[in-house]
Amino acid sequence: MIAAANRRDVRDNRLERQLSGGGTGWTTTFFGVPADGPVEGNDGPQAYLVEQAPGSCVLPHFHDEDQFQVIVSGGGTLNRRPVRSPAIHYANRHTAYGPIIAGPEGLSYFTLRASGAMGAHFLPGAIKLVDRNVPRRQAKAEISPHRQMRIIEELLAESDDSLAAWSIRAPARSDIRLPAGSGHGGRFLVILEGQAVLSGEILDPLGVAYVSDDANVSLLKVSGAGPAHILLLQMPRVASVAS
């Protein structure tokens, strides 16, 4: 399967919310279940954008599904360490992370899951809900500022269970052969700059797509007049993301 959405098409999904550690935030669902919506009957991929106002805070927590987060603007701290866009963060299900504190510019990031999850389990109150049989794992990568126009940079080396991530830059009107991969839990593509076409779907800046392992998609076309910068995020095997 392929799921895709552009920001211009989902603006009506933007909802204001008060964050767990104080301050205001907004969530915009791109596809899948909303961040705080019922998950029953929809175990497909989930993508939403979180915007935190300056100084706002999300307290330490964990989720029931593996996830990537892609920081697309602003900066602040994650796990009490500085973070700035663009960057990625990965966490296994039942791996606690945070707090996430937005800096003076605010902080915006995508949350991406191969299977939808509803809400979060905040610590320390939810500590008894942590499944101790699930391995703890987090990974973070900052994205280099170089501007070579045809380069695939490995952000996370592929693990035994197929977790991996790449940064891809390509010139205008070019074809990109995606890194080979199979047996994973699906792949997300996030367009940071430029425009690309994936199996007929046009993706603009901050467009997001999910491609399942069985979709057999290996080619991406840069369609705009300028170069493109794309993130390819590979989820662990389906067995690892089952809730």
Side-chain angles (χ1 to χ4, degrees):
M1 70 165 292
I2 296 175
N6 286 302
R7 192 174 188 182
R8 68 173 184 273
D9 300 323
V10 298
R11 293 188 187 278
D12 289 346
N13 296 341
R14 189 172 186 257
L15 299 174
E16 183 176 327
R17 57 193 295 200
Q18 295 304 303
L19 301 181
S20 57
T24 302
W26 296 264
T27 58
T28 304
T29 301
F30 276 57
F31 51 79
V33 296
D36 297 319
V39 73
E40 290 82 3
N42 189 340
D43 59 354
Q46 180 184 41
Y48 59 88
L49 179 69
V50 178
E51 300 167 85
Q52 291 189 215
S56 63
C57 175
V58 177
L59 295 174
H61 62 281
F62 65 91
H63 298 279
D64 294 326
E65 301 291 342
D66 300 344
Q67 69 173 34
F68 270 105
Q69 289 174 307
V70 179
I71 298 160
V72 293
S73 69
T77 60
L78 170 61
N79 294 338
R80 304 193 186 281
R81 296 183 178 181
V83 65
R84 287 202 60 80
S85 65
I88 64 172
H89 175 260
Y90 172 83
N92 269 10
R93 68 189 194 276
H94 288 263
T95 293
Y97 65 95
I100 308 171
I101 302 175
E105 304 168 78
L107 181 65
S108 297
Y109 48 92
F110 280 106
T111 297
L112 309 170
R113 303 184 182 112
S115 186
M118 182 181 67
H121 303 292
F122 290 98
L123 300 178
I127 190 67
K128 292 182 179 180
L129 299 178
V130 174
D131 186 344
R132 302 295 180 183
N133 295 316
V134 178
R136 305 290 177 267
R137 177 169 57 174
Q138 293 190 58
K140 176 186 170 185
E142 297 181 353
I143 299 162
S144 62
H146 57 63
R147 291 287 177 178
Q148 291 177 262
M149 280 300 104
R150 188 177 288 277
I151 186 170
I152 298 180
E153 177 187 4
E154 185 180 71
L155 299 176
L156 298 179
E158 190 164 0
S159 64
D160 291 341
D161 62 353
S162 297
L163 173 68
W166 298 267
S167 168
I168 302 171
R169 299 179 189 269
R173 300 183 178 89
S174 62
D175 292 343
I176 303 169
R177 182 68 60 180
L178 299 177
S182 62
H184 51 71
R187 288 172 155 182
F188 283 94
L189 293 102
V190 178
I191 312 299
L192 296 182
E193 300 175 21
Q195 187 181 70
V197 178
L198 177 74
S199 295
E201 295 280 356
I202 298 175
L203 296 171
D204 296 327
L206 295 191
V208 182
Y210 171 83
V211 181
S212 61
D213 183 31
D214 59 4
N216 195 28
V217 173
S218 60
L219 192 67
L220 187 69
K221 293 180 177 291
V222 178
S223 58
H229 185 191
I230 301 156
L231 299 183
L232 176 61
L233 310 169
Q234 184 169 286
M235 301 297 295
R237 272 190 288 276
V238 173
S240 179
V241 298
S243 58

